[in-house]
Amino acid sequence: MSSIRDRLAAKARRRVVIPVLVSDPTEDRRRAAVADAEFLAAQARPARAGDLPALQEAAAAARAAVAQHFEDVAFRALRPDDLEALIAEHSKGEEPDRDALRAALAAECAEDEALRDEAWWREQLDPKTTSWSSGERDQLYFELLTGLHYTVPAAALPKD
């Protein structure tokens, strides 16, 4: 059994996985909602208890179809000094250049080597040419800066 000192010394940097929408899930979401509703309705009727396994399987398959429209992208927090240097490098006066910092953070924090290209992220997230919505770009910025680096998880919740 390891001591508290050993566990604290082995503390890992925080990690976040962001699901990125890559295709339109509308029809699959509709199917999933119908499948979930059918499963819930069958649970409420004892006469349909025999249908539960098939309906549960159908609902799970429908939810899996929705999940195929998303790509999970994993990011790992930077060391505090590296984060501060990155923010300073991508700031104009007192305020960070949000677009530049977002791309830099995505590239520096991405776990997948193929995603560690800041120029590629700038191109992907360019508001003039991107398919990323304003909300998606803002959420990415928030998750990478605040969620990954500044938010302190509640003591009662499991930590990443």
Side-chain angles (χ1 to χ4, degrees):
M1 180 174 210
S2 60
S3 72
I4 188 169
R5 285 177 59 129
D6 294 337
R7 290 191 310 273
L8 289 175
K11 181 181 178 345
R13 286 182 286 151
R14 292 209 41 201
R15 180 178 190 261
V16 66
V17 176
I18 299 174
V20 177
L21 182 67
V22 294
S23 59
D24 183 9
T26 303
E27 188 57 29
D28 285 327
R29 278 188 172 152
R30 186 195 64 72
R31 283 190 204 104
V34 168
D36 283 337
E38 288 174 348
F39 175 65
L40 290 173
Q43 285 180 313
R45 290 189 215 124
R48 291 194 59 195
D51 296 342
L52 286 179
L55 290 170
Q56 186 174 26
E57 189 175 308
R63 286 191 301 277
V66 172
Q68 296 301 310
H69 294 277
F70 294 85
E71 187 68 43
D72 286 341
V73 183
F75 298 93
R76 183 140 335 253
L78 300 173
R79 289 182 178 84
D81 289 349
D82 293 337
L83 175 64
E84 294 307 319
L86 196 66
I87 292 171
E89 181 183 334
H90 293 86
S91 292
K92 297 175 181 174
E94 293 292 316
E95 291 296 315
D97 176 342
R98 194 176 178 122
D99 291 332
L101 183 56
R102 180 187 302 116
L105 279 167
E108 289 294 321
C109 296
E111 286 187 353
D112 187 322
E113 291 283 336
L115 298 178
R116 292 192 181 159
D117 180 352
E118 186 176 338
W120 182 85
W121 278 106
R122 269 195 311 273
E123 181 182 314
Q124 291 301 303
L125 300 170
D126 184 340
K128 296 175 191 129
T129 60
T130 188
S131 59
W132 290 60
S133 71
S134 296
E136 289 170 317
R137 290 191 321 271
D138 286 347
Q139 180 188 14
L140 180 64
Y141 182 79
F142 175 80
E143 288 293 333
L144 292 177
L145 186 61
T146 304
L148 191 57
H149 290 95
Y150 293 128
T151 300
V152 177
L157 298 176
K159 295 166 182 62
D160 293 346

